[in-house]
Amino acid sequence: MAPYQELEKKYSEFVGTKYGCATNTGTAALHLALEALKVTEDLPHDAQVIVPDFTMYASGLACHYARLQPMFIDCDDNLLINLDELEKHFNMAVNIQKTKVIMVTHVYGRCVDMDRVRWIANKYRCRIIEDACEAQGAMLPKPELRKDKMVGSFDIGCWSFYRNKIVHGEEGGMITCDDEDLINVAQDMKNMSFGDKHNYYHERIGFNYRMPDAQANLALLSLSKVNKNMLTRHKMCELYNGFIKPEYQMPNNRKAVWVYDMKHNNPDKVVSELNKRDIVARHCFKPLSTQPLFNHWRVSKNARYYSENVFYVNVDPNEHIDIIRKKAKIINEICDEYV
């Protein structure tokens, strides 16, 4: 078994699905999932894909690459797709006809209510794609199963193994699913659609999305340490919760701790000053509806607001408590100075 195949087996077991398809990036996983759905579900060229407006650019790009129509839905106060707005989307008959896929993103370790998403998807006969790159290992309670269920296992999960993720290599991605037909199509398409015969006759569009074994080995090593990594990250989150002033904290409902996000009315200045002091800080997402590629006629109100008020700092499981305390002190000082 090649390393990438071992990763497919072990990561799908970790998530709780039957199958996995390794790719070279998380963006490729999202795109490939949509391309495979176009085959298995016979999606029309004008099919709509629900995409959160507050998410990483890759989600919108995947739809663009697949030549499908993204339909942006605003976020709620947890930065997650607003499910009330999602349901309103289906008030129009044309949307009921054309919307075939609901993509959700578990943002900064907070998790979308997947039971409600599945209810909506079943009602309107849609497939679900979970962009779970920022919530690796996050569990949602499922009392009827007498156990928790991991994000990325509710239909089609897409993952990134970029070097800053909880489970990581330098790069890489994965599709997890119980749908054998979809995985088989994805496995073929990621390999230039050579097919079983490998006779240089390609029956459909294909992509060079294969994962190198060197990256698979790095991800396997990281996966072997995931439980300790996740526990450490949760402890670090609690330390930040204790050190950061309440007025700068975001909701403490992270199911996984990828980064530690905060709010401030001048995040540009805060991020700039933190980086000057060698504290890794980043702006949050800008709404997809504001990106030049999409140039949407309507920008989501909440997504715009939070894009202008949220920032985050890196979470490094190797940092000592004294370093976290020092970083938190500087964060509070800078936030106070530029409020």
Side-chain angles (χ1 to χ4, degrees):
M1 181 183 294
Y4 81 89
Q5 293 172 316
E6 183 181 357
L7 181 62
E8 289 174 340
K9 180 177 184 295
K10 289 186 175 180
Y11 198 79
S12 58
E13 289 174 352
F14 168 67
V15 174
T17 59
K18 294 179 181 178
Y19 311 107
C21 174
T23 62
N24 57 351
T25 67
T27 304
L30 288 165
H31 176 211
L32 189 62
L34 286 171
E35 292 285 358
L37 280 175
K38 287 171 65 178
V39 175
T40 60
E41 301 290 331
D42 193 24
L43 300 186
H45 291 300
D46 62 346
Q48 296 176 354
V49 179
I50 296 293
V51 181
D53 206 1
F54 191 90
T55 188
M56 201 268 185
Y57 193 38
S59 300
L61 285 179
C63 293
H64 185 74
Y65 295 161
R67 306 165 305 285
L68 298 172
Q69 183 179 355
M71 304 295 289
F72 301 125
I73 301 293
D74 203 357
C75 68
D76 60 19
D77 293 335
N78 293 303
L79 310 180
L80 305 173
I81 188 170
N82 188 316
L83 298 184
D84 291 336
E85 293 297 319
L86 174 58
E87 287 204 68
K88 289 179 183 177
H89 169 83
F90 291 101
N91 287 343
M92 296 179 63
V94 65
N95 291 340
I96 295 176
Q97 278 186 324
K98 291 189 174 184
T99 303
K100 304 299 181 182
V101 182
I102 298 173
M103 183 186 295
V104 301
T105 303
H106 304 294
V107 179
Y108 304 156
R110 296 184 186 86
C111 296
V112 179
D113 180 351
M114 292 309 300
D115 283 339
R116 187 173 175 191
V117 172
R118 281 208 295 189
W119 183 86
I120 296 170
N122 289 337
K123 181 176 180 180
Y124 297 106
R125 299 180 180 178
C126 297
R127 295 297 297 266
I128 302 168
I129 293 177
E130 292 177 77
D131 180 344
C133 301
E134 300 173 8
Q136 288 169 317
M139 305 295 289
L140 298 177
K142 300 295 296 178
E144 70 275 17
L145 299 178
R146 298 184 181 179
K147 63 178 182 180
D148 292 347
K149 187 174 173 67
M150 190 177 292
V151 298
S153 65
F154 287 83
D155 188 2
I156 304 164
C158 290
W159 310 84
S160 168
F161 299 130
Y162 183 62
R163 61 186 178 184
N164 67 0
K165 297 300 187 291
I166 296 172
V167 179
H168 60 274
E170 283 290 324
E171 262 293 1
M174 183 76 70
I175 301 171
T176 53
C177 194
D178 288 335
D179 185 339
E180 186 176 9
D181 289 340
L182 181 135
I183 290 293
N184 287 339
V185 169
Q187 290 282 13
D188 185 40
M189 295 181 88
K190 81 174 186 186
N191 191 32
M192 300 297 292
S193 292
F194 269 106
D196 295 333
K197 295 180 180 179
H198 209 285
N199 61 359
Y200 292 95
Y201 181 77
H202 309 265
E203 294 186 357
R204 56 185 169 230
I205 191 171
F207 309 95
N208 186 356
Y209 283 170
R210 296 180 293 265
M211 174 185 279
D213 283 341
Q215 294 299 328
N217 280 325
L218 291 173
L220 282 166
L221 177 61
S222 180
L223 182 60
S224 70
K225 304 175 182 178
V226 66
N227 290 331
K228 181 180 179 182
N229 187 352
M230 288 165 51
L231 179 61
T232 302
R233 286 170 174 272
H234 277 290
K235 289 180 178 179
M236 293 178 72
C237 179
E238 290 307 310
L239 289 173
Y240 275 117
N241 289 340
F243 294 146
I244 298 295
K245 291 184 177 181
E247 57 264 39
Y248 305 131
Q249 292 189 28
M250 287 290 287
N252 184 32
N253 54 1
R254 304 169 185 87
K255 297 289 187 180
V257 180
W258 176 51
V259 296
Y260 189 82
D261 58 323
M262 290 165 278
K263 58 187 177 183
H264 194 274
N265 60 7
N266 193 359
D268 290 348
K269 194 65 178 177
V270 171
V271 168
S272 176
E273 291 300 315
L274 287 173
N275 286 324
K276 286 179 183 177
R277 302 197 197 186
D278 294 325
I279 296 175
V280 179
R282 295 287 183 269
H283 297 89
C284 70
F285 303 127
K286 299 294 186 291
L288 293 182
S289 57
T290 65
Q291 306 295 343
L293 179 65
F294 302 112
N295 193 24
H296 201 264
W297 62 274
R298 181 178 65 86
V299 178
S300 301
K301 181 179 178 181
N302 266 16
R304 183 192 288 278
Y305 170 79
Y306 284 110
S307 75
E308 296 171 349
N309 288 273
V310 174
F311 70 100
Y312 65 84
V313 294
N314 183 46
V315 171
D316 182 352
N318 297 313
E319 285 184 340
H320 190 271
I321 183 174
D322 291 339
I323 299 297
I324 297 172
R325 184 184 289 110
K326 181 180 178 181
K327 286 170 62 175
K329 182 175 183 293
I330 295 171
I331 291 169
N332 283 328
E333 289 173 354
I334 291 175
C335 285
D336 287 345
E337 182 178 355
Y338 294 100
V339 73

